[in-house]
């Protein structure tokens, strides 16, 4: 068996698997260097963490009787992992400085403690009645979800098994597999059969190695597309949660920054909900705070003996947006070619706003956001900041310049103190729809209290932008060219509308840019709609179908009112008109953490 | 069961309002020559009630035995197949559905599903009725294409299938469809008619109605019978025996809108606008359709305005409602309307009071 | 089943002229076509004109007269807008049908010329792509196939197609010819129609014979054999004159609230607002005491509102806007609002 396993250790592009019938290949003890695509951090990280499978073999041979099950299981689960120590010099720092102990974790202490308690509960009572063994870790990428699991597992002395399937990643491999008779199975199918096995045979490893407890880690959920596939995955996970009886951790990376109104976001929401329903305990991970990022980065610098100033570290930490993996990678990259960072601390925005200073910062962001910025969103925030603050030249400069066309007084604006809005937009890689949403959400904060007229002008331009964006959707799909033009026109209308309309911007001060509440509203609207549609037939006793709008506006409020009354026992107290708010919050609270996070992305006024 | 359903007349003979229409319909059915029908009229005028009574008249009590089915249809749309999920109501004689629920795929629903259903010969051939009835709701929300294909279906399968269409405004139904149906306009009941119905229900429930009470409900109901009955029941739950000056509780969202209106009147500033936005979001989350919010808001605002402002405000309301149905994110346009109103009203205040 | 079918057959179908010469009012067209029938040689044809003027009837009649009932099925392909007529159908179905060659065996007294006919009803709703694809097909198979296009708006047929066809314009029917037809049907169906009802019917249908017949049949179904003018109005869905007048005079009064009340009433009564706009338009245009400038202002708004309604805007708000605009125009209030921001 050991031999088979070793043969299965396959380098993706190689072709020696003459006798290998297992599809679940064991990817063991391969140095990260031999794996192609080192830049896929996850893959590399795992590989370097993988232990040799000899220990597993010995365990398995002790239990000849259940060997078959073990085989099955081992195939499904990649080798036990034990955190390795510091690696070689040319290792990625991300792997090299993988936290080995709880103390090294950059995750907040309280969170670690909380998770540890959860683990202990599950490990100790794993054979007893504790009805669910599943923890659901949710959080953005790179906030240390898996690191926490690894660290805690090793701290508690439990072994970590991970489900992982190397499906053919590159075309040649796929061809090779199919020529050697292996049928292509999608990752989703494999996951399904894995769950099926778990359910049938239980989790064998736990019964065979009582001394070292096992934690099952499911990272890397199959990527699925389309409603049907989502449904399958959801069913599958649901089953898993209900049936598994060893501590299991499911990691879900949520990409909260993306436009959350689209379908896949809703799906992940639903998935989480359904897992929680099935008894999984959800633990939300927030982005790592700047301070602990800085601490970790400083530690690494010290160990690597690189000189980096506190400012540089801070810059990197800030640019990473709470993603520690990214921060470390940036640091390594930065240390490769040590050039002087623009030595600028970001946090003193109180100084007067001079034009050369603005240039400098623009330069910083144009140039270095590529190397430090985690993604576009951050620079998007800065672009938004520019638009919202609406910096313009002072009056005197303006008057002399105007000779060609005389505009009416109320249409005259001073020149902008920035590049053309379109240029800024391009630098920020902003998508039109989110930009319009962000502007809509935030612009009112920047309009001076007296200027309701301005507020209207802005609102009307945003409404124009919405019309343009809608016409994009209606357009024939093949007409990409036109679509792009309309998209950028819409963004331009929104941005310029905001710039033009806000003729009396508030004096500069601190503002947080909020994530559009609209997205949350749309999501919960969608939830509520589905819910009501499903109840539609109850409300009218199934005799006929009522128009949805009638249900929302008439029947539902009445029913609620009547029920409310009944529960209050005919209390003659006047009901508050706002009791309708209650059911919004039910849906809303999932999003709250994300929301808080977004508001931390403060931009300052420079 | 709500009174709205409990006291829904089951047969054409028991219909309290629109009895003239009911009699005509009865005549139609007994003559065995039932054309396609198009019912149109404002909400709460009794279209559905008439349709159900008509079905019962056609098929007897078995028309009431319905079951709800959530069916997924596989539709071949040229290059690919798409799944369409629709809730339908089935009895042996009729099928009811909201084709507009399928959204932009409504065309396929009409073309394929209805064709398929119409082709299916009626199950029950021993009776006299040899056709099936298809009740389609919200036809006015169907796209042009869907309405076009509807018309073909009507012609092609007219021997085995009768369509009953139901919509709020007939101007959104294409001429082609309208001209192939017998159009039945159902006007909203007058206040007197509403009072009559309320008194009827009151009697059945054994309630004492103070004089003028029903009239007050009727006035509040805005000529919607459904609204009136719902209000009546709410009042009953709120307080009984009725007192003649008992407050009639409004729908919660309407009260909320009027709160928004007074907020707007009190202060006109970006900050207030932002607060209003939050409230609008709340309404939207509760699935109140944005055009209804806008209409209600206009109603509340008009109540409080000087007549010289009314023209301007109603102009902008129409303007932004139009954009709302062209656009995607209703809040952008709703808010633009509120901002515009604030701006107008502030200008008015300054001009009037300096 | 059979009797049911009989009675429910639309009169439009029942009284559709079976012969080209019976087609009412389209004299030149009929003359040319009868000539065609005699020589059995016909070009591609394009019939256009307002609805209900006999375009489809003519096309069908020609086809029937050329081939007779037996060959009709195999020689004539009828397609209208509700059949899917995307480019794929043109490429496959139409092409397949067009490609088959046929002989000219004379059968049962019908000329049976050696070609097939494809009738494309409502051709103006075809996509441009499909029309372009048709162009090739027409040329390739012109030996064995003739195309009849029928449409309301000739401008929506792409030029290359239109230029390949003989164009026939169908005129709206005059009142006299329509009354003639209607009376004929009344006679056949045993209906009683007084002269007032007759004139109402022809004014309601505005030269559209199909609409007139449909109204007549609906009224006959609902109200029995004697039909009055008010029955026809209620069936046609036309808004009674009083209602329109009430709204108009409310606008004249200059009182916004009064107008608002009337608008609400119109909505509650369920009258279609687009129709209301048309009828309001008629009143305004004919009004003597309204200046041209005022009329222009009102009509501009009517047009805008109509467009908004087509886009799906709310009926109440649009009509209210129209009413408010009418008030301001009639009272000579300035066009601009006073508190514009």
């Amino acid at each position: 068996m050991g031999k088979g396993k070793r043969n299965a250790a396959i380098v993706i592009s190689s072709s020696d698997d003459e006798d290998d019938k297992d599809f679940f290949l064991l990817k063991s003890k391969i140095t990260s260097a031999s794996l192609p695509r080192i830049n896929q951090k996850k893959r590399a990280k795992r590989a370097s963490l993988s232990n040799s499978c000899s220990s597993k073999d010995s365990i398995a041979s002790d239990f000849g009787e259940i060997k078959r099950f073990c085989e099955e299981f081992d195939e499904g689960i990649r080798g036990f992992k034990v955190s390795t120590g510091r690696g070689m010099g040319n290792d990625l720092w991300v792997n090299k400085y993988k936290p080995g102990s709880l103390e090294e974790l950059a995750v907040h202490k309280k969170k670690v403690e909380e998770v540890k308690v959860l683990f202990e509960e599950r490990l100790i009572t794993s054979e007893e009645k504790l009805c669910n063994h599943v923890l659901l870790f949710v959080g953005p990428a790179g906030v240390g979800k898996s690191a926490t699991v690894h660290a805690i597992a090793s701290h508690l002395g439990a072994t970590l098994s991970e489900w992982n399937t190397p499906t053919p990643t590159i075309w040649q491999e796929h061809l090779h597999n199919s020529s050697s008779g292996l049928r292509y199975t999608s990752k989703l199918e494999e996951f399904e059969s894995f769950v099926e096995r778990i359910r049938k045979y239980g989790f064998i490893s736990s019964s065979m190695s009582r001394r070292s407890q096992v934690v099952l880690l499911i990272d890397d959920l199959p990527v699925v597309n389309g409603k049907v596939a989502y449904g399958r995955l959801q069913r599958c996970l649901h089953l898993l949660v209900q049936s598994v009886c060893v501590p299991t951790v499911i990691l879900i990376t949520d990409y909260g920054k993306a436009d959350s109104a689209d379908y896949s976001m809703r799906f992940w929401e639903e998935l989480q909900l359904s897992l929680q329903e099935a008894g999984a305990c959800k633990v939300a991970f927030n982005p790592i705070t700047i301070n602990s990022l800085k601490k970790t980065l400083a530690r690494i610098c010290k160990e690597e003996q690189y000189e980096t100033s506190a400012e540089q570290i801070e810059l990197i930490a800030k640019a990473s947006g709470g993603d520690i993996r990214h921060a470390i990678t940036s640091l390594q990259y930065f240390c490769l070619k040590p050039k002087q960072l623009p030595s600028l601390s970001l946090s003193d925005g109180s100084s007067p706003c001079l034009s050369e200073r603005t240039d400098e910062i623009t330069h910083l962001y144009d140039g270095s956001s590529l190397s430090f910025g985690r993604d576009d969103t951050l620079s998007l925030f800065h672009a938004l900041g520019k638009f919202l603050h609406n910096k313009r030249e002072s009056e005197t400069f303006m008057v002399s310049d105007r000779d060609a066309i005389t505009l009416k007084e109320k249409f005259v604006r001073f020149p902008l103190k920035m590049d053309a809005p379109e240029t800024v937009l391009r630098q920020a890689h902003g998508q039109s729809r989110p930009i319009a949403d962000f502007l809509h959400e935030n612009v009112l904060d920047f309009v001076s209290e007296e200027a309701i007229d301005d507020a209207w002008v802005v609102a009307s331009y945003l409404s124009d932008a919405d019309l343009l964006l809608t016409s994009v959707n209606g357009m024939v799909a093949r007409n990409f060219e036109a679509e792009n033009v309309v998209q950028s026109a819409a963004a331009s209308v929104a941005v310029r509308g905001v710039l033009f309309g806000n003729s009396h911007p508030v004096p500069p001060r601190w503002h947080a840019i909020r994530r559009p509440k609209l997205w949350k509203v749309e999501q919960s609207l969608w939830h509520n709609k589905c819910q009501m549609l499903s109840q539609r037939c109850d409300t009218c006793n199934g005799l006929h179908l009522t128009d949805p709008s009638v249900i929302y506006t008439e029947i539902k409020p009445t029913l609620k009112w009547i029920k409310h009354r009944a529960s209050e026992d005919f209390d003659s107290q006047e009901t508050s008109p706002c009791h309708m708010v209650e059911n919004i919050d039910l849906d809303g609270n999932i999003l709250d953490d994300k929301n808080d996070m977004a508001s931390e992305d403060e931009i300052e006024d420079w | 069961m709500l009174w709205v359903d409990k006291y829904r007349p089951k047969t054409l003979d028991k219909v309290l309002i629109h009895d003239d229409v009911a009699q005509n319909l009865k005549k139609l059915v007994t003559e065995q020559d039932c054309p396609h029908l198009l019912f149109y009229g404002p909400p709460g005028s009794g279209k559905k009630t008439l349709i159900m009574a008509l079905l019962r008249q056609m098929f007897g009590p078995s028309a009431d035995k319905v079951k709800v089915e959530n069916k997924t249809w596989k539709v071949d749309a040229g290059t690919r197949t798409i799944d369409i999920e629709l809730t339908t109501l089935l009895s042996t004689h009729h099928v009811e559905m909201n084709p507009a629920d399928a959204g932009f795929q409504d065309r396929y629903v009409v073309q394929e599903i209805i064709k398929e259903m119409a082709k299916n010969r009626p199950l029950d051939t021993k009776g006299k009725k040899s056709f099936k009835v298809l009740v389609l709701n919200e036809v006015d929300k169907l796209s042009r294409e869907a309405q076009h294909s509807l018309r073909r279906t009507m012609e092609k399968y007219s021997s085995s299938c009768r369509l009953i269409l139901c919509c709020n405004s007939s101007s959104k139904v294409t001429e082609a469809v309208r001209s192939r149906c017998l159009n039945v306009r159902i006007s909203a009941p007058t206040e007197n008619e509403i009072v009559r119905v309320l008194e009827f229900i009151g009697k059945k429930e054994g309630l004492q109605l103070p004089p003028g009470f029903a009239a007050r409900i009727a006035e509040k109901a805005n000529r919607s019978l459904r609204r009136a009955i719902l209000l009546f029941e709410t009042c009953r739950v709120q307080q009984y025996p009725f007192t003649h000056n008992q407050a009639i509780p409004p729908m919660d969202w309407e009260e909320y809108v009027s709160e928004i209106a007074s907020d707007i009147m009190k202060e006109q500033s970006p900050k207030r606008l932002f607060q209003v936005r939050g409230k609008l979001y709340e309404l939207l989350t509760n699935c109140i359709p944005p055009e209804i919010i806008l209409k209600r808001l206009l109603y509340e605002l008009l109540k409080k305005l000087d007549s010289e402002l009314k023209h301007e405000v109603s102009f902008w309301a129409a303007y932004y409602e139009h954009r709302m149905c062209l656009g995607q994110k209703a809040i952008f346009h709703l808010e633009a309307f509120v901002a515009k109103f604030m701006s107008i009203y502030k200008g008015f205040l300054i001009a009037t009071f300096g | 089943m059979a009797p049911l079918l009989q009675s429910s057959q639309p009169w439009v179908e029942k009284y559709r002229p079976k012969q080209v010469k019976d087609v009412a009012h389209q004299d030149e067209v009929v003359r040319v076509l009868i000539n065609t029938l005699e020589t059995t040689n016909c070009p591609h044809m394009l019939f256009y004109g307002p609805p209900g003027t006999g375009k489809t009837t003519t096309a069908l009649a020609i086809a029937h007269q050329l081939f007779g009932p037996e060959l009709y099925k195999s020689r004539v392909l009828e397609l209208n807008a509700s059949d899917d007529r995307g480019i794929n159908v043109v490429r496959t179905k139409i092409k397949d049908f067009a490609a088959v060659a046929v002989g000219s065996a004379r059968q049962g007294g019908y000329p049976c010329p050696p070609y097939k006919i494809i009738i494309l009803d409502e051709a103006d709703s075809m996509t441009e792509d499909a029309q372009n694809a048709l162009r090739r097909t027409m040329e390739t198979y012109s030996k064995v196939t003739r195309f009849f296009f029928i449409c309301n708006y000739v401008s929506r047929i792409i030029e290359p197609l239109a230029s390949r066809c003989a164009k026939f314009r169908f005129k709206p029917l005059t009142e006299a010819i329509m009354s003639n037809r209607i009376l004929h049907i009344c006679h056949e169906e045993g209906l009683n129609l007084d002269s007032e009802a007759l004139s109402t019917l022809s004014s309601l249908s505005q030269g559209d014979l199909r609409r007139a017949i449909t109204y007549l049949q609906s009224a006959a179904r609902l109200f029995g054999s004697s039909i009055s003018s008010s029955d026809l109005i209620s069936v046609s869905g036309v808004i009674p004159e009083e209602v329109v007048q009430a709204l108009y005079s409310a606008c004249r009064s200059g009182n916004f609230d009064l107008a608002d009340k009337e608008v609400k009433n119109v909505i509650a009564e369920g009258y279609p607002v687009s129709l209301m706009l048309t009828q309001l338009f008629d009143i305004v245009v004919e009004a003597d005491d309204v200046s041209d400038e005022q009329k222009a202002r009102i009509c501009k708004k009517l047009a805008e509102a109509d467009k908004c309604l087509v886009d799906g805007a709310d009926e109440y708000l649009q009509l209210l806007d129209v009413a408010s605009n009418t008030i301001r125009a009639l009272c000579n209030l300035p066009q601009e609002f006073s508190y514009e921001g």
Side-chain angles (χ1 to χ4, degrees), chain B residues 32 35 40 42 130 148 151-152 159 169 171 179 182 185 187-188 223 295 310-312 315 321-322, chain C residues 1 4 80 82 122 214 218 221 256-257 265 268-271 274 301 308 311 314-315 317 324 337 340:
Chain B
Q32 293 262 319
Y40 65 97
S130 55
H148 255 301
R151 116 191 201 171
R152 180 65 172 169
S159 58
S169 75
S171 48
S179 71
L182 183 56
R185 180 173 60 87
S187 62
R223 296 190 65 180
K295 269 202 279 188
K310 285 180 180 170
H311 296 291
E312 198 166 343
F315 167 81
E321 199 276 333
H322 174 223
Chain C
M1 191 74 206
L4 177 79
N80 69 16
S82 40
E122 292 155 61
T214 315
S218 304
R221 274 169 167 165
F256 182 89
D257 293 318
N265 185 46
E269 289 294 325
Y271 295 117
S274 54
K301 189 48 140 194
C308 291
D311 288 339
D314 185 79
E315 296 196 315
L317 291 174
S324 136
F337 295 115
E340 193 85 51

Side-chain angles (χ1 to χ4, degrees), chain A residues 65-84:
Chain A
E65 198 183 316
I66 48 166
K67 193 171 167 187
R68 193 171 57 85
F69 295 147
C70 286
E71 260 173 80
E72 293 268 3
F73 184 71
D74 285 341
E75 283 157 13
I77 299 185
R78 196 148 58 78
F80 297 155
K81 293 201 285 191
V82 173
S83 318
T84 52

Side-chain angles (χ1 to χ4, degrees), chain A residues 188-319:
Chain A
L188 181 58
E189 280 163 5
E190 281 164 23
F191 188 66
E192 275 178 337
S193 56
F194 163 69
V195 170
E196 193 54 32
R197 265 201 303 279
I198 290 255
R199 287 185 60 223
K200 273 192 193 137
Y201 308 123
F203 198 94
I204 309 305
S205 306
S206 69
S207 60
M208 67 193 186
S209 55
R210 266 176 225 289
R211 291 138 281 157
S212 66
Q213 287 140 315
V214 173
V215 174
L216 178 62
L217 175 63
I218 297 177
D219 196 346
D220 195 23
L221 284 173
V223 175
V224 285
N225 269 315
K227 211 170 172 179
V228 185
Y230 277 137
R232 274 168 67 192
L233 180 61
Q234 182 168 347
R235 257 195 312 283
C236 193
L237 279 171
H238 200 94
L239 277 177
L240 178 73
V241 172
Q242 281 174 335
S243 54
V244 77
C245 38
V246 282
T248 302
V249 181
I250 301 175
L251 300 188
I252 295 182
T253 306
D254 72 327
Y255 309 94
K257 294 248 181 164
D259 189 349
S260 55
D262 71 355
Y263 183 76
S264 60
M265 270 311 294
R266 284 183 193 140
F267 167 73
W268 287 113
E269 297 267 304
E270 256 177 37
L271 184 67
Q272 287 174 29
L273 279 180
S274 97
L275 292 185
Q276 275 175 281
E277 246 169 56
C281 172
K282 179 179 156 184
V283 182
F285 277 72
N286 288 335
I288 294 175
T289 56
I290 304 266
N291 271 339
S292 50
L293 271 177
K294 278 198 294 198
K295 229 161 55 191
T296 314
L297 292 180
R299 183 171 56 88
I300 294 175
C301 283
K302 220 172 84 193
E303 286 190 33
E304 292 285 336
Q305 289 156 357
Y306 275 108
E307 285 296 319
T308 38
S309 69
E311 280 167 4
Q312 287 162 343
I313 285 184
E314 172 153 354
L315 198 58
I316 293 175
K318 277 201 165 181

Side-chain angles (χ1 to χ4, degrees), chain A residues 433 440 463-464 473 545, chain B residues 48 277 323 328 333 346:
Chain A
R433 179 55 88 179
H440 169 251
S463 137
D464 288 339
N473 289 2
L545 298 169
Chain B
K48 264 316 180 36
R277 179 199 290 174
R323 311 196 108 208
Q328 224 170 11
H333 311 288
K346 196 172 176 192

Side-chain angles (χ1 to χ4, degrees), chain A residues 414-463:
Chain A
F414 305 120
L416 287 169
K417 267 209 247 175
M418 62 172 101
D419 297 335
E422 287 75 17
T423 320
V424 178
L425 270 180
R426 203 166 42 241
Q427 283 161 358
H429 302 286
Q431 296 238 299
S432 320
R433 179 55 88 179
I435 285 198
D437 290 349
F438 266 107
L439 288 175
H440 169 251
E441 174 69 31
N442 292 294
V443 72
L444 287 182
D445 290 345
F446 295 85
V447 179
S448 108
E449 270 309 276
E450 294 306 303
I452 187 67
D453 297 348
D454 288 357
W456 171 67
V457 177
V458 169
S460 80
Y461 279 114
L462 287 175
S463 137

